[in-house]
Amino acid sequence: MSLSLANSIAVQSHARALVPLCVGAGAYLFFLYLGDTLLQDSDSFWQIKIGQWILDHRAMPTTDFYSFTRTGAPWISTSWLSQVAFAFSHAQLDWAGPVILTAVAVALAAAIFVHLLDAQIGAPRAVLFGMLALLLSIHHVLARPHILALPVMVAWVGVLMTAADRKRAPSWTWLPLMALWANLHGGFVLGLALIGPISLEAVEHAEKGRRLALFMRWVLFGIGALIASCCTPYGWRTLQGATNILSLGELLSLIFEWMPANFATFTSFEGALLALIAFGYYRGLVLSAPRIFLILFLTWSALTHVRSIEAFAFLVPLVLAKPLGEMFPRPALEGAGADRWPARYVTAAGALMIVAASWTSTSLYLGHHRFSFTMTQTPVAAVDLLEQRKSQRIFNAYQFGGYLISRDVPVFVDGRAELYGEKFVMDFFKATEGKKPELLPRLLDEYKIDATLLVADAPGPQILDQLKGWKRIYADDIAVIHMRDDGQSAAGGSTPAASN
């Protein structure tokens, strides 16, 4: 082979390494441009507030101190590292900080994903799968801890599947990845659960004489991963805290991200499922039993809880990568010179240019755009009025809890459903959504409520309008306030209902 041809092959090989970086940069700029849509969940408020508390006190929370209904109750933060990162970025750049951090996390996940797939099915197909994964996940890309853990999830499963494809156990040097995941978000439990079926994939295709030894290495790796997941400030309690949400029973069907997938209208997830089935039939895709189990498990999870759709989007292609690679062999770049230094310089220079272009674009965009939180989650005027009235015990809407915490107002309830428990939150929803309106006066009296702050278009305010002893004093397009009509409100002067 001539020297020029060898150099050409080397340049192509190294330039191909830029493909994941290009995809990551594209994903970053896309979500940066859509940054305001990342600020739609009021949980972001209390996540940042807790992160700032950790930074200020150099300690970890072990009890609740943000509500007046569960003050002092045991509670740990299983996403403390993400919360600290969000709090620090918010302190430096206001809401642009969490937006940039979220966009970077999505970019890393996309880049790692494409890199892993490229090794099996080639760059063009890997990029296509990357775009589909982002499309399926876009509804749940929010400035919250699960997104910061997304690249770790992709990398972890990629490591496990790569080891299984090579019929060996993962290296113990990857265990810190599990420790990082456990400190970022409670979703690390999924990473632990996937070790079992993926290990069976490795063992099934190994030579008979070494299957037992390989299985034992996977068992030891699993034990190591379990220990690594406890390498957090809370130790083994992290596992307990991460699984508490699953004990909420009926309540999970009322929280949007924990609801089952809804096929009343056509969605991208529905299209992906149909395409997967059609492709399997059309191409005659043959899978091993462990891979079938993995796909069925990830599909079941996505059908059961919409928040699991991004796991389906990113992990199913990793499970299918090797079988697809065998069906569509990627072109090989052969020949000497694949590691020549000029090609490495091409790759390094290209990477620097992509990073520089992304940073420049960020600076220019931030120069004329200010990110702001979704107004429907921020009842600013209503809370201002409640503070003027010095209301102490406010019966607040579920989605207003995070914003109240950010204003240092003790809450009745917020997004930490595992803290309050199934019965408490279910009673709250039934009372305010009109399913059991008789519960509302009982809750108001039981918790000595002196003011309510509910969503404007919900049944709760209409129920309170008819409830003796309560008076509507404020209303706008976001929130409605009622206060006890016991003479104290009148003494302080009445505030007419407003409509903005």
Side-chain angles (χ1 to χ4, degrees):
M1 180 182 292
S2 66
L3 182 61
S4 60
L5 179 57
N7 280 332
S8 175
I9 292 174
V11 170
Q12 291 180 49
S13 177
H14 283 271
R16 193 167 59 196
L18 292 176
V19 172
L21 189 57
C22 290
V23 172
Y28 167 76
L29 294 174
F30 176 76
F31 284 102
L32 179 70
Y33 178 73
L34 297 178
D36 291 314
T37 67
L38 309 183
L39 305 173
Q40 299 186 74
D41 193 317
S42 66
D43 281 2
S44 298
F45 284 106
W46 64 259
Q47 302 279 7
I48 290 173
K49 191 71 174 180
I50 291 173
Q52 192 58 55
W53 186 92
I54 295 172
L55 289 173
D56 292 341
H57 293 81
R58 297 294 190 272
M60 303 299 296
T62 56
T63 60
D64 171 55
F65 40 76
Y66 288 120
S67 76
F68 63 85
T69 52
R70 289 293 186 269
T71 302
W75 180 80
I76 64 173
S77 176
T78 55
S79 302
W80 75 271
L81 187 57
S82 294
Q83 291 160 349
V84 166
F86 276 127
F88 181 80
S89 65
H90 184 266
Q92 301 301 313
L93 297 170
D94 197 34
W95 284 112
V99 167
I100 291 173
L101 196 59
T102 303
V104 167
V106 177
L108 283 173
I112 295 170
F113 179 73
V114 171
H115 172 73
L116 291 169
L117 288 183
D118 179 31
Q120 296 283 3
I121 62 176
R125 295 187 183 92
V127 172
L128 176 61
F129 274 111
M131 295 173 64
L132 291 174
L134 292 174
L135 176 63
L136 289 174
S137 306
I138 196 170
H139 73 287
H140 203 218
V141 178
L142 300 164
R144 285 177 42 198
H146 69 280
I147 292 298
L148 299 194
L150 184 60
V152 182
M153 178 187 74
V154 174
W156 175 259
V157 177
V159 165
L160 298 186
M161 289 307 307
T162 299
D165 291 341
R166 296 175 179 174
K167 305 172 188 177
R168 62 191 189 194
S171 169
W172 284 56
T173 58
W174 290 108
L175 290 179
L177 202 60
M178 173 53 68
L180 174 61
W181 193 354
N183 285 279
L184 286 171
H185 187 251
F188 72 91
V189 175
L190 172 64
L192 293 175
L194 292 178
I195 293 175
I198 295 177
S199 69
L200 294 180
E201 171 67 17
V203 172
E204 179 180 321
H205 292 89
E207 297 175 3
K208 290 185 178 181
R210 55 185 297 268
R211 286 179 180 175
L212 180 59
L214 180 59
F215 176 73
M216 292 307 301
R217 284 199 292 271
W218 274 94
V219 169
L220 291 175
F221 180 82
I223 294 173
L226 184 63
I227 295 172
S229 71
C230 296
C231 294
T232 73
Y234 297 107
W236 66 269
R237 287 187 296 168
T238 301
L239 277 169
Q240 180 183 10
T243 55
N244 279 344
I245 189 72
L246 299 177
S247 65
L248 294 179
E250 184 184 1
L251 176 57
L252 294 181
S253 64
L254 298 180
I255 302 174
F256 173 74
E257 63 181 346
W258 288 98
M259 290 181 178
N262 184 359
F263 294 135
T265 58
F266 188 81
T267 63
S268 57
F269 175 53
E270 184 177 358
L273 280 178
L274 294 174
L276 181 62
I277 295 170
F279 180 82
Y281 276 113
Y282 180 71
R283 299 295 303 193
L285 186 61
V286 178
L287 302 175
S288 63
R291 289 185 195 267
I292 293 174
F293 173 82
L294 286 167
I295 292 174
L296 291 178
F297 171 73
L298 293 169
T299 303
W300 171 81
S301 298
L303 290 172
T304 307
H305 307 300
V306 294
R307 66 172 293 144
S308 299
I309 290 178
E310 68 255 27
F312 171 89
F314 281 97
L315 301 188
V316 166
L318 295 180
V319 175
L320 292 175
K322 188 172 185 288
L324 289 177
E326 293 170 349
M327 293 179 66
F328 306 105
R330 54 173 291 173
L333 293 176
E334 300 175 339
D339 293 321
R340 290 179 180 271
W341 62 267
R344 293 180 180 178
Y345 279 139
V346 169
T347 303
L352 289 174
M353 291 176 63
I354 292 171
V355 172
S358 299
W359 177 251
T360 302
S361 300
T362 301
S363 301
L364 292 174
Y365 188 59
L366 294 182
H368 64 81
H369 182 82
R370 182 174 181 177
F371 296 103
S372 59
F373 214 89
T374 304
M375 290 301 295
T376 56
Q377 304 282 352
T378 54
V380 180
V383 176
D384 288 343
L385 176 59
L386 287 170
E387 288 185 337
Q388 292 173 16
R389 292 297 188 95
K390 295 181 169 53
S391 299
Q392 298 298 313
R393 301 175 75 84
I394 301 169
F395 185 84
N396 61 277
Y398 188 83
Q399 56 264 56
F400 293 159
Y403 178 70
L404 288 174
I405 288 176
S406 74
R407 295 279 296 263
D408 295 315
V409 177
V411 298
F412 181 88
V413 69
D414 62 83
R416 298 170 297 163
E418 72 280 5
L419 167 67
Y420 300 96
E422 179 185 5
K423 184 180 185 305
F424 179 90
V425 185
M426 284 301 301
D427 285 349
F428 168 82
F429 277 124
K430 290 175 181 177
T432 56
E433 296 298 325
K435 295 180 179 179
K436 284 190 177 181
E438 66 275 11
L439 287 175
L440 186 54
R442 193 197 79 187
L443 292 175
L444 297 177
D445 292 339
E446 180 180 349
Y447 291 96
K448 299 179 174 58
I449 302 299
D450 52 43
T452 68
L453 177 67
L454 299 176
V455 179
D457 58 357
Q462 283 69 43
I463 298 173
L464 280 164
D465 286 338
Q466 309 300 320
L467 195 60
K468 186 177 179 180
W470 290 87
K471 179 180 180 180
R472 180 186 291 226
I473 67 164
Y474 178 86
D476 60 22
D477 294 337
I478 300 172
V480 177
I481 297 176
H482 285 77
M483 295 193 74
R484 289 190 182 274
D485 189 14
D486 56 4
Q488 291 182 345
S489 298
S494 61
T495 300
S499 179
N500 295 339

